[in-house]
Amino acid sequence: MRTVARLTTGRGRYTKGTKQNTKSTRTGYRSKLFVPFVSSIVLLVVSLPSCNKAPASTAEVSEIHIPRGAGGVGFLPLLVMEKYSLIERQAKEAGVPNLRVKWIGLGGPAVMNDALLSGAADFIAAGPPAFIILWDRTRDSAKVLGVAAMSSLPMYLNVRSDHLKKLDDVSEKDKIAVTAVKVSIPSLIMQMYARNKYGAAQLSRFDKYTVTMSHPDGVVALLSGSGAIDAHFTSPPFHQRERKDPHVRTIMTSDEVMGGSTTFTMLSTTTAFREKNPRVYASVLKALDEAIDIIVNDKEDAADILLASTGEGGFTRDEFIALMNDPSVKFTTAPENVMKYAEFMHDAGSIQKRPASWKDLFFPEIQDSPGS
C-alpha cells in the first residue's frame, strides 16, 4: 500500500498516511477550513449594521445651542448653567462625555421661536404667553412642549402721576410702557383685569394706552418725569430701581391679577429633540435643577453672576443681593399659573386649542411637580 503525504490541520507539518485515507482526510481538511471561514462571514454580516451606528456615548448630538434670552433675573438660571458648565458635567455623567454647549446672544420671543423651529437653537427660554402660542401653532408639526419652569416673580405697574391711583384711572392723556403691545405679559395682565372687571367685550380696554419700550428705556423715561410715559409695567430689578424715587408708586402687580405666584420664564424644546437625544435632554433638566439649587443656596454668588451680565446697567451688588432675598422672587422648575394664561388666551382667541390641564403643555419629566 502506497503512502501519501497529507497535512494534519493544526500541527503545521506533514505526516505519513495511507492512500485509502486520503479522500476522507482531504474532506476533513476542507471542513476544518470551511467552518472558520463561514464563522468569519457570519461575524462580518452580524457586525455590518453596527458599522453604521455611532457608539452609545456619541449616538446623540455632540453640540447644542441655547439662547441666553432677554436677560435679567428671570434668565439667571441659564447664566449659572453657562458659568459652571452644568450641562456639560451632567451630560458626561449620563454617558455623553464630549457635549459642547454654545450659548447664543439672542433675546425676544419671536427671534427665539424662529431659531428653535429652524434648528438654530435646541432649547429656548421665554415667558408663558409666548410659549403657549408656539405650543398651539406647532401641535401638528414640531410639537414644542415645556421642559420646566425657571422663575416665578411678579411684574409691577409703577406710576408717577398723582391722578393714577389704580389702572382704571388711565385716560387718553396717559401712556403705559410695556415690552410689547398686546402680546407681552403686562399687556395680558391688563387684558385679564379688564375682562374680569368690565366683561369680555372690554378685554382690550387698556391696549390703546400702551406703548412699546424696553425695560431700561422705560426706567429712564419714568424717572425723568419728561411726560413721555406716565406708567411703566416692569419686572425686577427695574421695579426696585424705580421705587427708589419717592415720586413713584406701585398701583398693581401681576400676582394680584393672577391670584398668586406666577411663572415668569420657562424652558422649552421640540418633541423630536427630546426623542432623539434623551440623555442630553435629561442632562439639561438636571443642570437646570442644579442651577436653581446654586441660586437658592448662594444668593451672593447668584447676585454676582447677574451683576456681571448687566454690563453698564448701573445696578449695584447690594441691589441684586436684596433682589435675591425678595420672597416674591422664586426660582423653581414647577410651573405656576401657566394654565390660567392658557385658558385666558384660548377664550380671547389667541390660541385654537385649549389644553385640558397644565400637563398637556409640558413633557412628562416635570409632570410630577406641584404645577398649575
Side-chain angles (χ1 to χ4, degrees), residues 71-75 126-129 149-155 185-186 215 234-236 254 262-266 330 336 338 341:
V73 65
F75 298 89
M150 294 200 309
S151 68
S152 290
L153 54 89
M155 298 194 74
I185 289 178
H215 287 306
T234 190
S235 61
S254 57
T262 304
T263 293
F264 182 65
T265 52
M266 53 176 289
K330 298 166 55 179
E336 296 185 312
V338 174
Y341 275 126

Side-chain angles (χ1 to χ4, degrees), residues 170-310:
V170 175
S171 65
E172 296 291 344
K173 64 180 181 180
D174 299 311
K175 294 298 179 184
I176 305 170
V178 296
T179 51
V181 173
K182 293 187 177 182
V183 296
S184 61
I185 289 178
S187 292
L188 262 65
I189 293 297
M190 288 187 285
Q191 290 170 6
M192 289 180 180
Y193 176 86
R195 183 194 63 177
N196 293 341
K197 186 162 186 178
Y198 300 101
Q202 291 290 310
L203 181 146
S204 302
R205 179 185 182 95
F206 301 107
D207 287 352
K208 60 186 177 182
Y209 306 126
T210 59
V211 294
T212 298
M213 197 173 288
S214 69
H215 287 306
D217 289 343
V219 172
V220 172
L222 187 67
L223 295 182
S224 70
S226 64
I229 60 172
D230 303 278
H232 183 199
F233 217 139
T234 190
S235 61
F238 308 102
H239 160 69
Q240 284 79 357
R241 172 57 59 84
E242 291 177 349
R243 285 303 308 271
K244 285 186 174 183
D245 187 322
H247 298 99
V248 175
R249 308 180 318 281
T250 301
I251 63 172
M252 175 187 286
T253 73
S254 57
D255 282 1
E256 291 170 354
V257 178
M258 295 294 285
S261 182
T262 304
T263 293
F264 182 65
T265 52
M266 53 176 289
L267 204 62
S268 61
T269 189
T270 63
T271 294
F273 182 91
R274 174 179 170 273
E275 291 177 347
K276 293 176 182 177
N277 306 281
R279 285 175 297 171
V280 173
Y281 177 92
S283 298
V284 172
L285 182 54
K286 287 181 179 179
L288 177 58
D289 274 322
E290 188 176 1
I292 289 174
D293 285 342
I294 291 172
I295 294 170
V296 171
N297 294 316
D298 194 343
K299 293 181 172 62
E300 291 190 0
D301 181 59
D304 288 338
I305 294 173
L306 186 57
L307 182 62
S309 73
T310 60

Side-chain angles (χ1 to χ4, degrees), residues 140-151:
D140 298 322
S141 53
K143 295 181 175 63
V144 175
L145 289 173
V147 176
M150 294 200 309
S151 68

